Amino acid sequence: MTRFDIRVRRNKFTQSKIDRHKNFQNLIGNYDLSSKKRTKGWILAVGLLIWAIALLLAYFALDSKQKKKLPDSQEAVSYNLKATKNTVYKL
Amino acid sequence: MNIIMNNKIIENDRNITQEDIQKEFEAVQRAVKDPAEFQVLYDRYFAAIFNYIFRKIDDEEITADITSQTFWKALKNLKKYKFRGVPFSAWLYRIASNEVNRHYQQTKKRVIFSFDAQEFENLIEQNVEEEHEFDIDFIIKQMRQMSESDIVALELRYFESKNFAEIAFILDITESNAKMRTYRAIDKLRKLLERREA
């Protein structure tokens, strides 16, 4: 058996029958809609990118500020070690 | 867009003159700037593309869907169109062929070639000597022994009246390959039809 089939058409397709399926207004309407969607998509993507970059920059700026404010790192470590020894502090 | 004018190709074309092709290319350029201008090309080629797809689908509604999908893709990718000395229709036929192939890949149905009775008669008239007479059922039976690519080559050459440059463009092969494929297909068909004579 072949992968294809050959058929014979006895009736020709008339121009008016074909014209029933013609719809340029629909085609151009879809094109406009798609163009608008594409533009909106681009605007959204660029907006998201700017927002992400701004968020990253803000995070790094805040992080560097916090690092500057922190006391000497050696002191902080020794304080934490003391706390883990279950020492009872008298108030 | 590149312009590669090939006078030989245009002279061989039976339907479209060099002036027509140039005008058509200008229409494409106008449509790139203003998509509403695409209507000229849409009106000119809708029926031809519809008929071409219908031959391979044999279902009016599916054909209508694939035809609109073909024109939609053409309009969407018009900026990418490069002029290669063949009519704009060759590009549409190429898109249509890809869409039909996609349809068969998705549906996994058997490929159909639905030809008009008159088209069979023309094919035989042009290629087989007058004293031979064949009925269509016999021609179809013999054609089923050919490969799909042979049928496609015959279809484009004899049912769509495409020249070799256009066939090459549509099938994405070289012009000499298109010639070889078409002549080989017609030779094969002749031999298959002669079998009854023997």
Side-chain angles (χ1 to χ4, degrees), chain A residues 27-42, chain B residues 72 76:
Chain A
L27 181 81
I28 204 79
N30 284 341
Y31 179 79
D32 287 341
L33 206 71
S34 161
S35 306
K36 277 177 192 167
K37 270 187 188 171
R38 230 176 324 176
T39 313
K40 276 182 188 172
W42 268 107
Chain B
W72 161 247
K76 216 170 94 178

Side-chain angles (χ1 to χ4, degrees), chain B residues 80-96:
Chain B
K80 293 178 194 167
Y81 173 70
K82 285 181 183 173
F83 189 78
R84 293 192 191 277
V86 289
F88 179 71
S89 61
W91 193 56
L92 292 173
Y93 276 90
R94 193 168 169 170
I95 299 172

Side-chain angles (χ1 to χ4, degrees), chain B residues 130-163:
Chain B
E130 274 179 32
E131 67 249 33
H132 299 278
E133 275 190 23
F134 305 101
D135 61 87
I136 288 173
D137 292 334
F138 175 72
I139 298 167
I140 291 171
K141 193 182 158 197
Q142 298 304 82
M143 277 177 90
R144 281 193 184 121
Q145 294 176 50
M146 297 170 79
S147 71
E148 197 181 323
S149 66
D150 285 341
I151 307 278
V152 169
L154 289 179
E155 182 198 10
L156 288 170
R157 181 69 181 157
Y158 296 100
F159 303 161
E160 292 291 340
S161 305
K162 299 289 169 209
N163 63 33

Side-chain angles (χ1 to χ4, degrees), chain B:
Chain B
M1 282 185 210
N2 301 328
I3 303 177
I4 308 157
M5 277 295 184
N6 187 338
N7 290 327
K8 194 180 156 201
I9 291 168
I10 293 156
E11 279 167 19
N12 285 345
D13 197 302
R14 281 165 283 185
N15 306 315
I16 300 177
T17 63
Q18 190 175 343
E19 198 185 338
D20 290 336
I21 292 185
Q22 193 54 46
K23 275 182 187 169
E24 197 175 70
F25 179 58
E26 285 164 14
V28 173
Q29 284 178 313
R30 280 197 301 275
V32 170
K33 287 174 192 161
D34 177 12
E37 294 282 335
F38 188 69
Q39 184 157 18
V40 179
L41 299 161
Y42 181 85
D43 288 340
R44 189 177 300 163
Y45 292 119
F46 188 89
I49 296 296
F50 188 96
N51 273 320
Y52 176 66
I53 295 171
F54 189 79
R55 275 205 202 97
K56 290 163 179 273
I57 299 289
D58 204 26
D59 182 293
E60 195 178 335
E61 291 311 312
I62 298 170
T63 300
D65 285 348
I66 298 177
T67 307
S68 49
Q69 188 66 17
T70 300
F71 280 97
W72 161 247
K73 287 209 169 161
L75 180 59
K76 216 170 94 178
N77 297 302
L78 209 56
K79 282 176 195 167
K80 293 178 194 167
Y81 173 70
K82 285 181 183 173
F83 189 78
R84 293 192 191 277
V86 289
F88 179 71
S89 61
W91 193 56
L92 292 173
Y93 276 90
R94 193 168 169 170
I95 299 172
S97 296
N98 291 338
E99 288 304 307
V100 169
N101 290 341
R102 196 192 309 273
H103 166 77
Y104 279 115
Q105 274 169 10
Q106 283 169 354
T107 57
K108 288 179 180 144
K109 280 183 184 171
R110 222 163 148 223
V111 176
I112 295 165
F113 290 99
S114 156
F115 299 133
D116 193 83
Q118 187 63 46
E119 289 172 333
F120 276 112
E121 282 169 24
N122 292 344
L123 173 71
I124 300 305
E125 258 178 38
Q126 285 177 48
N127 295 290
V128 181
E129 287 169 29
E130 274 179 32
E131 67 249 33
H132 299 278
E133 275 190 23
F134 305 101
D135 61 87
I136 288 173
D137 292 334
F138 175 72
I139 298 167
I140 291 171
K141 193 182 158 197
Q142 298 304 82
M143 277 177 90
R144 281 193 184 121
Q145 294 176 50
M146 297 170 79
S147 71
E148 197 181 323
S149 66
D150 285 341
I151 307 278
V152 169
L154 289 179
E155 182 198 10
L156 288 170
R157 181 69 181 157
Y158 296 100
F159 303 161
E160 292 291 340
S161 305
K162 299 289 169 209
N163 63 33
F164 293 117
E166 286 173 277
I167 296 171
F169 184 84
I170 295 164
L171 301 179
D172 199 17
I173 53 176
T174 61
E175 201 177 327
S176 55
N177 203 340
K179 263 184 202 171
M180 197 178 70
R181 197 183 282 191
T182 312
Y183 288 138
R184 202 178 49 195
I186 202 70
D187 198 43
K188 209 181 275 182
L189 180 66
R190 264 195 213 119
K191 279 179 186 162
L192 284 166
L193 294 176
E194 279 164 11
R195 269 189 198 173
R196 192 176 71 164
E197 301 291 304

